[in-house]
Structures are given as structure tokens and as C-alpha cells.
Amino acid sequence: MPIDHVILNVRDFARSKEFYGQALKPLGYDIVMELGPGAGFGREGKPDFWVVQRGDPTIAHVAFASPDRSTVDAFYEAALAAGAEDNGPPGLRPHYHASYYAAFVHDPDGNNIEVVCHRPE
């Protein structure tokens, strides 16, 4: 079964909402639902990635699938512009497999956010 949704617990909801609003634009994500101190981002009206303000969050790793390498590059640039900390610029990670092209950033709470394309160039 595919995963229906992921929730990241964040310290500062407004900051995280703004960050992900900018960083996920290249992937076609927008806010599609808000509940209390939480926002659901998704495509085609279905929220599958949530940020919710709760207590003391733990660090997570979330990887978003990308349709192509240029979208990985665009995410990385958008995330840095939104205030992310670099955790690995766009490039091949052949230790995973020959076509694994990804970029990694730390969000405002230190979560490791990855966007990956598995297709050959």
C-alpha cells in the first residue's frame, strides 16, 4: 500500500508553513487544507504532507519523488531561498544506484528533506 500522508511536527508553524510553501512549489505542491496550527500540502487537492506545531519535534527524513533532475535542482534552489541549510547539493548518489539524483536540505527544524529522481538523464 502507498503511504497516504506524512506529518512533521514543527516548533514554529508560521515559519514552517512559509518555508514549505516556497520550497515545495517546484514539485507542484500547494497548501490544500489548514486545521488549527497545521497545514496540509499536496497536489490535485489531496494533502499528503503536513506540518503541525506540536511540543518538541523529533528530527525526520522525508524524501519527495521528482519527475526529473531539473525539478530536483529547482527544489534545492527554492529551499535555499526560503532559508534552508544545505545538506547535499543536487547530484548523483551512485552508492544508492546509478541513476539516483538527489538534493538534501535541512528545514527550519533541522529535518532532512530530500528530493530524488530515479530516472536516467
Side-chain angles (χ1 to χ4, degrees):
M1 296 296 268
I3 294 172
D4 184 72
H5 64 275
V6 172
I7 298 173
L8 280 186
N9 297 324
V10 300
R11 287 181 185 86
D12 183 336
F13 170 66
R15 182 176 174 200
S16 292
K17 177 181 165 183
E18 182 178 334
F19 171 78
Y20 283 106
Q22 293 177 39
L24 297 180
K25 275 274 187 237
L27 300 174
Y29 274 70
D30 288 306
I31 294 174
V32 295
M33 186 181 292
E34 289 193 55
L35 296 172
F41 294 84
R43 294 178 282 195
E44 300 175 12
K46 164 67 170 79
D48 57 22
F49 179 75
W50 287 82
V51 294
V52 177
Q53 186 166 331
R54 293 187 183 143
D56 192 20
T58 58
I59 303 302
H61 176 124
V62 177
F64 291 91
S66 175
D68 52 50
R69 294 178 181 191
S70 64
T71 302
V72 173
D73 298 344
F75 156 79
Y76 180 78
E77 293 303 322
L80 292 180
E85 181 182 317
D86 170 51
N87 192 33
L92 288 170
R93 289 358 190 239
H95 52 285
Y96 297 127
H97 67 71
S99 298
Y100 198 106
Y101 187 88
F104 301 82
V105 299
H106 285 141
D107 76 358
D109 287 292
N111 293 298
N112 185 26
I113 309 301
E114 172 185 1
V115 172
V116 59
C117 176
H118 294 282
R119 297 179 181 179
E121 188 170 14

